[in-house]
C-alpha cells in the first residue's frame, strides 16, 4: 500500500542532478537560472517578529518592552541629549565662536508720512535744518540707539522743500528730497555723541566728535576718519591736508 508520508520523507532526501539537496537552490551560474529557482538571496527577507503571543514565545506579556516606565508607553520620545532631568552636558560648557550680531548698527526708521504730519502740525519748521534732535523732541520715534534713517514711504504726497541731517537715507528718499530742491545730509554720531545731541542737559562737558569707522567711509565723506584722525575719508593724509590748507 502506498504511504504518502513516507514518500515525502524519502523525496526530501533525493539528491538532484545539480548535486544540491532539496528545493532551496542557490544559482551560481547564469545558465542555471530558470523559473523554478527564482528567489531572493538568503537573508534578504526576514520573518516578522510577533510579540504579545504568550509566554512560550519568549516575547509575550510585556512584548520585549520591560516592566512599565516611559519607554514601555506608546509614542514615547526621549531627546538624544536628555540626562534624566539634570543639567545637560552641552549646557554646562561655555559657548565657543564669535558673532558680530551684538554689534549691529540698527537705525530707527522714519518716513515721509511722519515728516509731512509733523510739518502740518507745526512741530518742526521746514525752513530750518531738521536734525535728529528736532525729531526726538517731536516724539515721532521711540528710543534712538544708533541714529535715524529716512525711508521713502509716502514720498508721492510729500511736497515740502527741506534741509535734513540724518544718519542715513534710502536712495529713493534721498532723490525725493533733492528733487524738491532740498538737501539730504548724512551725519555720523557714535553712541556718546548721539546721546549728547538728543539730551545735552545730562552732560556737564562737551564730548569730542567721534571719527567715522573706515567701513562707513562712503556714507560720510565729510567726516574725519582713520586711526587718530590721520586720514580723511577721501583717502588723503589728514595732517597733510591741514598743512596744505595753512600754506594756502
Amino acid at each position: 500500500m502506498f504511504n504518502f508520508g513516507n514518500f515525502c520523507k524519502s523525496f526530501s532526501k533525493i539528491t538532484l542532478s545539480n548535486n544540491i539537496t532539496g528545493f532551496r537552490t542557490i544559482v551560481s551560474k547564469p545558465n542555471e537560472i530558470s523559473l523554478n529557482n527564482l528567489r531572493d538571496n538568503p537573508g534578504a527577507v526576514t520573518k516578522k517578529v510577533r510579540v504579545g503571543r504568550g509566554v512560550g514565545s519568549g516575547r509575550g506579556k510585556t512584548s520585549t518592552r520591560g516592566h512599565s516606565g516611559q519607554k514601555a508607553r506608546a509614542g514615547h520620545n526621549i531627546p538624544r541629549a536628555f540626562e534624566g532631568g539634570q543639567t545637560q552636558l552641552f549646557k554646562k560648557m561655555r559657548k565657543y565662536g564669535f558673532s558680530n550680531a551684538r554689534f549691529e548698527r540698527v537705525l530707527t526708521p522714519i518716513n515721509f508720512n511722519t515728516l509731512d504730519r509733523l510739518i502740518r502740525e507745526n512741530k518742526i519748521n521746514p525752513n530750518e535744518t531738521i536734525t535728529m534732535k528736532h525729531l526726538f523732541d517731536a516724539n515721532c520715534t521711540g528710543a534712538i540707539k544708533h541714529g535715524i534713517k529716512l525711508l521713502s514711504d509716502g514720498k508721492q504726497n510729500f511736497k515740502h522743500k527741506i534741509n535734513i541731517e540724518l544718519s542715513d537715507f534710502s536712495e529713493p528718499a534721498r532723490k525725493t528730497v533733492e528733487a524738491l530742491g532740498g538737501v539730504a545730509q548724512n551725519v555720523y554720531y557714535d553712541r556718546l555723541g548721539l546721546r549728547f545731541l538728543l539730551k545735552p542737559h545730562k552732560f556737564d562737558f562737551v564730548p569730542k566728535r567721534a571719527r567715522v569707522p573706515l567701513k562707513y567711509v562712503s556714507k560720510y565723506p565729510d567726516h574725519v576718519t582713520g586711526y587718530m584722525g590721520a586720514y580723511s575719508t577721501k583717502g588723503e593724509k589728514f595732517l597733510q591736508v591741514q598743512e596744505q590748507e595753512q600754506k594756502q
Side-chain angles (χ1 to χ4, degrees):
M1 184 176 179
F2 178 76
N3 191 323
F4 184 78
N6 294 333
F7 172 76
C8 293
K9 291 180 181 179
S10 60
F11 186 80
S12 62
K13 298 179 181 179
I14 296 176
T15 302
L16 302 180
S17 58
N18 54 4
N19 296 324
I20 298 178
T21 303
F23 294 100
R24 298 295 296 177
T25 59
I26 301 176
V27 177
S28 60
K29 298 180 181 180
N31 57 4
E32 294 180 0
I33 297 176
S34 60
L35 292 178
N36 69 321
N37 59 17
L38 290 178
R39 57 181 55 86
D40 293 321
N41 293 327
V45 178
T46 57
K47 189 176 180 180
K48 180 182 178 181
V49 177
R50 300 174 76 241
V51 297
R53 293 298 184 271
V55 181
S57 67
R59 300 183 181 88
K61 191 187 174 187
T62 56
S63 301
T64 72
R65 292 197 179 201
H67 291 275
S68 301
Q70 183 179 1
K71 293 183 179 180
R73 269 56 176 174
H76 75 279
N77 181 24
I78 301 178
R80 182 177 299 176
F82 186 67
E83 298 182 20
Q86 71 178 14
T87 304
Q88 300 168 354
L89 178 62
F90 74 91
K91 290 186 177 181
K92 295 178 182 178
M93 301 178 65
R94 56 157 290 186
K95 295 181 180 180
Y96 289 86
F98 178 78
S99 173
N100 273 322
R102 61 179 295 190
F103 303 107
E104 184 180 6
R105 188 167 175 262
V106 180
L107 302 179
T108 303
I110 191 175
N111 53 47
F112 284 107
N113 291 328
T114 304
L115 284 179
D116 185 60
R117 177 178 58 81
L118 294 176
I119 292 174
R120 285 188 286 102
E121 294 176 356
N122 295 323
K123 291 186 177 181
I124 57 177
N125 185 3
N127 297 321
E128 64 181 10
T129 301
I130 301 173
T131 65
M132 289 183 282
K133 171 66 173 172
H134 295 96
L135 300 177
F136 180 76
D137 292 340
N139 293 323
C140 68
T141 63
I144 303 175
K145 188 174 182 180
H146 294 286
I148 297 178
K149 181 175 182 178
L150 179 62
L151 305 179
S152 62
D153 294 341
K155 64 179 181 180
Q156 62 275 7
N157 300 324
F158 190 78
K159 306 298 180 183
H160 304 280
K161 177 184 176 181
I162 57 174
N163 294 341
I164 185 168
E165 293 181 352
L166 298 178
S167 301
D168 199 6
F169 301 83
S170 67
E171 197 59 31
R174 183 186 300 277
K175 291 180 179 179
T176 300
V177 173
E178 294 175 351
L180 295 171
V183 177
Q185 178 69 34
N186 288 45
V187 290
Y188 176 79
Y189 291 95
D190 64 345
R191 295 292 300 276
L192 179 64
L194 184 62
R195 189 166 183 265
F196 176 75
L197 174 69
L198 302 179
K199 302 176 181 179
H201 59 278
K202 292 191 174 183
F203 290 78
D204 54 1
F205 67 98
V206 178
K208 189 176 180 180
R209 186 72 177 271
R211 297 180 174 89
V212 182
L214 293 176
K215 61 182 178 181
Y216 299 132
V217 165
S218 59
K219 288 187 178 181
Y220 310 98
D222 299 328
H223 287 257
V224 177
T225 186
Y227 177 72
M228 298 298 291
Y231 294 89
S232 70
T233 55
K234 298 179 181 178
E236 302 172 346
K237 287 189 176 182
F238 185 68
L239 297 178
Q240 293 180 359
V241 173
Q242 282 187 330
E243 293 176 0
Q244 292 177 0
E245 291 179 351
Q246 292 175 359
K247 290 180 181 179
Q248 295 176 355

